[in-house]
Amino acid sequence: MAQQAYVTETADDGSGPGRQRGRFRRLLGGTASGWRGDRRIWRRGIVLAALAVVVALVMLLHAQIPNAVGNLGSLTETFLPWLGLFVPVLLLLGLLRKSATALIAVVLPAAVWLNLFGGLLSDKNGTGGDLTVVTHNVNADNPDPSGTARDVAASGADVLALEELTASAVPVYEKSLASTYRYHAVEGTVGLWSKYPLTGVKAVDIKLGWTRAMRATVTAPDGQVAVYVAHMPSVRVKMEAGFTARQRDTSADALGEAIADEKLPRKILLGDLNGTMNDRALNAVTSQMRSTQGAAGSGFGFSWPASFPMARIDQIMVQDVEPVSSWTLPETGSDHLPVAARVNLATSS
């Protein structure tokens, strides 16, 4: 009797599972019936469909967008993943317009975006590895350099690269990191701290007139690796000049040449490159090295700006070194997030 009473009560109640499913079917049925027999569903939304095709073409042919005017191609490539936001917006507008043409067209940018970036949605972080590396643009105007030093040291990094060091801040970082890192070297505005011996330390000329890049040999328990630290010139978006990046592009070419001439087979690049892996201007570097985030990370790993990261311009790249995992670290006093990676030297050549 109790069971029968329960069934009878829920059958009359408007909140039961059966009644909710019924309402959902009626809602779908009402929507579908509103579209059936409407011959305008193919004529409406032509503008939305055209916009969807344009977005798809921009993503698909981004390498063909010229840099001759305001470096428009590089600007597009810097924020290329964000074009995916057009997909749900166009989908919603297509539904509101009851346009079959627009809804079908939205499939194009969705498919292109998934082809370009779908692989980044999965978690490729692995376990193991024998060397942890971290890079961080600490910001010349950092109000708390000692706190930033403690934060990045707490990451457990074996090798730590810092960029945008000022002359007044260097002693603060040296003092704060001395207990964790026995070895360190500073060249210009970049520095390298390591738990393992550093040799062959030298500045790298990236055609700026002052030092913003260096290299050193790190002798880790599983072998030697050439570590490069670089801070590419900043880029700006100006109304009268567009995406101004010529100096950055020249420096990237010089850095690429230096890495190509490196004698050691195992190489790690740590730094703020002021560009993403999609930016063609960094081809001299990205064509010969792998991104640890792309190979062994989870998600896009955006690092800048720290308050609302929109692009990964802080990079860890490797050659003849196996990435195991890659991630971003919590915000410090800088406008960049630190980025970290765990790599395997033992299994590399």
Side-chain angles (χ1 to χ4, degrees):
M1 289 296 293
Q3 182 177 4
Q4 182 179 1
Y6 173 79
V7 172
T8 302
E9 180 179 326
T10 54
D12 295 333
D13 191 353
S15 61
R19 182 59 60 87
Q20 289 176 349
R21 286 194 294 270
R23 287 177 177 175
F24 184 67
R25 291 194 193 99
R26 287 197 299 272
L27 178 61
L28 289 179
T31 302
S33 63
W35 289 50
R36 282 197 297 266
D38 186 353
R39 297 178 181 178
R40 294 179 300 168
I41 63 173
W42 298 104
R43 295 196 296 268
R44 282 194 299 260
I46 299 299
V47 173
L48 291 176
L51 183 57
V53 172
V54 169
V55 172
L57 289 175
V58 169
M59 290 191 288
L60 188 64
L61 304 176
H62 64 87
Q64 308 306 317
I65 300 174
N67 260 342
V69 180
N71 278 283
L72 183 60
S74 285
L75 177 59
T76 302
E77 289 164 339
T78 297
F79 299 103
L80 195 62
W82 291 94
L83 291 181
L85 292 179
F86 279 100
V87 172
V89 173
L90 290 170
L91 179 62
L92 178 60
L93 292 176
L95 288 170
L96 292 175
R97 287 283 292 152
K98 295 184 179 180
S99 169
T101 302
L103 293 178
I104 292 173
V106 169
V107 174
L108 292 174
V112 174
W113 191 92
L114 287 172
N115 180 61
L116 291 173
F117 304 110
L120 294 174
L121 300 179
S122 62
D123 187 351
K124 298 181 288 296
N125 278 291
T127 58
D130 47 38
L131 189 72
T132 300
V133 295
V134 168
T135 182
H136 189 26
N137 179 327
V138 295
N139 188 357
D141 298 321
N142 192 320
D144 184 19
S146 60
T148 295
R150 289 193 299 270
D151 288 343
V152 291
S155 68
D158 300 305
V159 176
L160 169 65
L162 301 181
E163 303 87 47
E164 209 166 295
L165 296 169
T166 62
S168 59
V170 167
V172 178
Y173 286 106
E174 289 176 330
K175 180 179 179 180
S176 300
L177 296 171
S179 61
T180 305
Y181 300 98
R182 182 177 178 183
Y183 309 94
H184 87 279
V186 175
E187 295 285 343
T189 62
V190 296
L192 190 65
W193 277 258
S194 173
K195 295 179 180 179
Y196 307 120
L198 299 177
T199 56
V201 177
K202 65 178 183 180
V204 175
D205 182 12
I206 55 173
K207 312 301 181 186
L208 283 176
W210 70 96
T211 302
R212 284 174 53 150
M214 63 178 289
R215 68 82 66 195
T217 298
V218 175
T219 303
D222 289 292
Q224 290 187 328
V225 57
V227 176
Y228 284 76
V229 184
H231 182 195
M232 294 291 100
S234 299
V235 296
R236 297 288 186 269
V237 180
K238 301 179 179 178
M239 292 298 294
E240 73 279 6
F243 191 62
T244 57
R246 181 175 302 174
Q247 197 172 41
R248 188 278 311 268
D249 299 351
T250 300
S251 292
D253 291 341
L255 178 62
E257 291 178 11
I259 293 172
D261 292 338
E262 173 61 49
K263 303 303 181 186
L264 287 176
R266 293 188 289 202
K267 309 166 193 177
I268 298 176
L269 170 62
L270 307 168
D272 173 8
L273 302 191
N274 270 306
T276 68
M277 293 297 293
N278 296 311
D279 191 339
R280 76 194 69 174
L282 300 182
N283 279 350
V285 177
T286 57
S287 63
Q288 57 181 319
M289 306 191 84
R290 300 171 67 192
S291 164
T292 58
Q293 182 67 25
S298 175
F300 292 94
F302 294 149
S303 63
W304 177 89
S307 57
F308 187 81
M310 297 182 66
R312 185 180 178 89
I313 62 175
D314 301 276
Q315 306 289 352
I316 299 177
M317 286 187 260
V318 298
Q319 182 178 352
D320 285 332
V321 172
E322 187 62 30
V324 174
S325 56
S326 189
W327 64 98
T328 56
L329 295 171
E331 187 175 356
T332 69
S334 172
D335 57 341
H336 292 242
L337 294 179
V339 297
R342 184 80 173 159
V343 301
N344 225 327
L345 299 180
T347 58
S348 55
S349 60

